[in-house]
Amino acid sequence: MDSSLTLARLVEARLRADILHGVHRPGAKLRLEALRERYGVGASPLREALAALAAEGLVQRLDQRGFRVAGADQAALADLVETRCLAETAALRAAIARGDAAWEERVLVAHHRLARASRSLEADAFVPNPAWDALHRDFHLALLEPCGAPSLLAFCADLHDRSTRFRNLSNSLAYPQRDVAAEHAALCEVTLARRAEDAAALLEKHYRHTANVLGDALEQKTAVESDAG
């Protein structure tokens, strides 16, 4: 593989992670000189990485003016949640129909590890816990793993990553407002009981509840920024 292409993929992964975790804020201009210094790469692999992220929708290309981080607003959130509900409930139904005993064990282990982790590194204020984020991703993808459609599973993984950006943008205002651990436990239970329709309904409820919490937080965030401005 060409070394410049490999470098572009490496910086793409780092840049994607930074966008998802709020290092680069929504709407922020992505200036090449600053990015070159941060990631230690030249302009060519950096432009390739930005173009790839633009194709994903995380970055917007500006006509003759470079790139910026895609915005994060109510419309984008609503579209993301609706897409997740349609795609992931279908994948979950298929996974329940196809999953074997080894899959059940993987789901149990993923849930156990997630349940032992804390969403926040502090009790009184939200401080993102990267370990919880990773375990949360593992659990949700484990539920869908045997769906039989690798492309659908990859799409669901991408949707999960995009939702991480919204969570990390708003959790400082929305935490804590719900018992997420109980929601995950219930979802795990009905999935392993092979109650496909109940599991799909719980997953959709889980995502729509998240959307309501995040939507309220985005409104608060916008109001705070307007007052500060």
Side-chain angles (χ1 to χ4, degrees):
M1 182 179 291
D2 183 84
S3 60
S4 64
L5 182 59
T6 303
L7 189 57
R9 288 181 178 174
L10 289 173
V11 72
E12 177 189 337
R14 291 182 60 194
L15 186 53
R16 180 189 294 106
D18 282 348
I19 290 173
L20 293 175
H21 290 90
V23 175
H24 303 297
R25 308 295 288 179
K29 185 76 180 292
L30 293 167
R31 304 184 184 281
L32 288 182
E33 283 302 316
L35 295 178
R36 287 176 62 185
E37 181 176 346
R38 177 178 178 83
Y39 299 110
V41 297
S44 180
L46 189 55
R47 286 185 182 278
E48 288 183 38
L50 288 167
L53 293 174
E56 289 184 23
L58 289 177
V59 166
Q60 293 177 334
R61 189 190 299 268
L62 306 175
D63 292 340
Q64 307 300 320
R65 292 182 290 117
F67 299 86
R68 71 181 177 192
V69 180
D73 55 23
Q74 292 278 19
L77 174 61
D79 177 70
L80 173 61
V81 170
E82 196 64 34
T83 303
R84 291 193 80 185
C85 288
L86 291 170
E88 295 190 36
T89 55
L92 183 58
R93 288 186 180 96
I96 289 172
R98 294 168 178 264
D100 57 14
W103 165 67
E104 292 182 0
E105 183 176 348
R106 290 193 294 274
V107 169
L108 278 173
V109 170
H111 177 255
H112 176 69
R113 290 173 175 168
L114 176 62
R116 294 180 61 188
S118 297
R119 286 175 65 203
S120 173
L121 294 176
E122 293 185 7
D124 298 329
F126 184 79
V127 177
N129 182 358
W132 187 90
D133 281 339
L135 293 170
H136 184 231
R137 187 181 194 274
D138 290 345
F139 171 66
H140 274 279
L141 294 183
L143 293 171
L144 312 178
E145 181 187 349
C147 69
S151 295
L152 176 59
L153 190 60
F155 180 54
C156 291
D158 176 63
L159 294 174
H160 182 95
D161 290 342
R162 293 185 189 215
S163 72
T164 297
R165 185 166 75 117
F166 281 94
R167 280 199 310 274
N168 288 329
L169 285 170
S170 62
N171 264 334
S172 60
L173 293 172
Y175 178 85
Q177 290 190 8
R178 60 198 284 207
D179 191 346
V180 173
E183 293 177 30
H184 288 146
L187 181 57
C188 181
E189 179 181 352
V190 296
T191 297
L192 296 182
R194 307 287 178 149
R195 291 158 48 193
E197 292 308 312
D198 288 341
L202 273 184
L203 184 64
E204 180 167 349
K205 182 179 179 181
H206 180 62
Y207 288 158
R208 294 198 184 282
H209 192 174
T210 297
N212 291 336
V213 172
L214 297 185
D216 291 345
L218 284 174
E219 287 183 358
Q220 293 179 47
K221 181 175 180 293
T222 300
V224 168
E225 290 176 347
S226 297
D227 290 344

